[in-house]
Each structure stands twice: as C-alpha cells, then as structure tokens.
Amino acid sequence: MIVAAAICPSPPLLAPELTGQADILPELRAASAAAVARLLAAAPDVVVVAGPAETTGPCDPAGRLSLASFAPALRQGRPLADNSKKRHAGPAVASPAVIPSAVAPSAVIPSAVAPSAVIPSAVAPSAVAAPPLPLALGIGAMLLDDAGYTGPRKLHGIAEGEPAATCLALGRQLAASAPRVALLAVGDGTARRSASAPGYLDERAAPFDEAVARAVREGDLPAIAALDTALAAALLAAGRPAWQTLAGALSAAAPQAGYRAAEHQPADRPAASRPHTAVLYSDAPLGVAYLVATLIP
C-alpha cells in the first residue's frame, strides 16, 4: 500500500561532487531535500525509486550514481573538492559522478564513455563494485542517502517509450509490494523551455509543464495518467513515465474513488479522495523544467 509519494527532478547539479563549493540551484536542492524528508516521515517499510532508464525493470539497490562522464578530474583519477560539509547529515554517498538531465532522455550514459570508465579507479574498492545507475535512479538514491535513509529500497527503471497503461500498471504493482510503500518518482519536465535549452525552444513546452504542475497541485491523477506520450517525447519530458507510474500507485490507494486507471481516462474524483499535495518547486532555470512535490494519500 502506498503511504507517501514525491516527485523530484534529476539535474546532475544536485550532486555536490560536481559543483564544488559553489551553491548551485539552492532552492531546488532545499525543495528536493524537504520532499524526501516528508516521504520518509510516513515511516515506510520500503522506499521505491522510479525513474527513466534505457529499459524497464529493477536495478541493483546497491548501485551508485556515476559522475565520471561530466567530471574530467574524476576520469583522470583526481579527487574533486571536499564537499562533506555541503551534504546533509547521514551516510556519505560513495558516488563518483552524474549524467546531466539536460540531455535527451535516451542519453542516459553517453556512448563516448567506455563502460570501464564510468566509475573511476580512484574510488574505494566497495564503490568500484557497485554498478552504475541511470541518472534518475542515481539521483534518487543520492537523495535518500543524503536524508540519512538506511532502510530497504528498490530501484525501478522505466523505458522512456513505455505507454501510459504500462506505467500505471507498474505503479499499482509497486504500491502492492509491501504493507507501507513510499514512492519517489524522479525525472525532469520538458527540456525545450528556452533557446539555450538542450532541445532548443518549443512554444508547447511551457503549457505542457504548467499542465503537469497543475495536475500534481490538484492531485488530479487522471490528468497525469492522460498526459500525451508522444508530445512528452517531442518535448524531451523525461519524467513522464515516472509521473504516470506515480499516478498508478496512488490510484491503488483509493480505488473506491472511481478512478479508472486501467483505461487511464479521466473520471470524476471527489476532492476529498485526492491525495494531499504540496508543490515545493516549479521552475525552468536552465531551460529544463524541474518539479518537486509531495503527494500523500
């Protein structure tokens, strides 16, 4: 049963290992940390992190985020600046590096990076053994680590082309995986919000992101379930599969409300039966839309 859910984006700049002592996107960092704190306050038996990946399926929960592709110093075996004071209290993250979310969703690990170069040799042996994760799952795992979470976790990748029905069904499956499940859906909005954005400017991007934020703010699960898959792909909205998985998971918490998740068609749902929501951040500072929110059944 789902007891709490949260949405966070996956920009690589959330990882202090990349930013050194610079305080990059502080509002986004604070909002993401607050969302995860609220998620964990529900005392879940397990936290499930769901996000875009090359293929759909579970990933090793011992995996770590790889930053080597975007940190030349790491690839050359040189440590980055000491960021221990920037991290939240809790277990240190033994993660070398990240892949920017400011790229096409399919570019989870650039082909120019040899598999053996994903995790540098300059890290501890235990970190070398940990498999690299897709960007979104790695960011999600990092956020849990930063929050001091040491309980059971599951990581589940979702292929960017998965249809809505598949995502909704996956959400219901994940919600039923334990008596108390918290779901962290990680992924970005459109990457075409400005001329300097990864996908250049598309006038349809801002309305799409506004519609997503409004649906989340109102707890409108049918609206999230009905997001246009083709349009999301055209706008490089990598988080779409994760958001629809979240909608499926939350719909399982209140099936009596008349939500027809299987058909992912809008249905009248009383406001009292919708999740309690809070949008903590919604902006596109780098031409990519970042949304942070909590949804509590």
Side-chain angles (χ1 to χ4, degrees):
M1 172 180 162
I2 194 81
V3 295
I7 293 172
C8 285
S10 56
L13 293 178
L14 283 180
E17 287 84 352
L18 281 185
T19 59
Q21 296 302 315
D23 193 11
I24 307 297
L25 300 176
E27 295 86 0
L28 178 58
R29 288 173 184 266
S32 298
V36 172
R38 295 184 187 183
L39 192 74
L40 300 180
D45 297 324
V46 61
V47 177
V48 178
V49 179
E54 289 185 346
T55 59
T56 299
C59 293
D60 189 341
R64 286 289 180 254
L65 181 64
S66 174
L67 299 167
S69 301
F70 298 89
L74 286 175
R75 285 206 300 271
Q76 296 170 15
R78 296 197 306 269
L80 294 179
D82 179 11
N83 295 289
S84 59
K85 295 182 180 180
K86 294 187 65 177
R87 285 204 174 278
H88 300 287
V93 182
S95 51
V98 173
I99 295 162
S101 57
V103 295
S106 59
V108 175
I109 297 180
S111 58
V113 180
S116 60
V118 172
I119 297 178
S121 59
V123 297
S126 59
V128 174
L133 293 173
L135 171 63
L137 299 184
I139 289 290
M142 182 197 76
L143 290 173
L144 292 180
D145 289 340
D146 284 357
Y149 179 71
T150 58
R153 68 178 67 178
K154 296 180 181 179
L155 309 180
H156 205 98
I158 313 167
E160 62 181 283
E162 288 290 8
T166 301
C167 297
L168 293 165
L170 173 61
R172 295 193 297 272
Q173 176 186 339
L174 294 175
S177 63
R180 297 181 63 83
V181 177
L183 176 63
L184 177 57
V186 184
D188 298 342
T190 66
R192 308 193 70 174
R193 289 288 295 272
S194 70
S196 60
Y200 197 67
L201 176 65
D202 190 311
E203 298 294 344
R204 301 171 295 174
F208 180 92
D209 291 323
E210 290 166 4
V212 172
R214 181 170 58 252
V216 170
R217 184 177 291 107
E218 297 176 356
D220 191 346
L221 303 182
I224 299 173
L227 289 173
D228 189 323
T229 304
L231 178 59
L235 298 176
L236 306 182
R240 189 276 308 171
W243 302 333
Q244 291 184 322
T245 297
L246 175 145
L250 286 170
S251 72
Q256 72 279 5
Y259 174 63
R260 298 190 293 271
E263 297 84 6
H264 56 87
Q265 297 174 355
D268 292 334
R269 185 173 188 186
S273 69
R274 295 185 180 188
H276 300 283
T277 68
V279 172
L280 308 182
Y281 185 95
S282 181
D283 201 359
L286 304 174
V288 181
Y290 300 140
L291 177 66
V292 180
T294 57
L295 303 92
I296 310 299

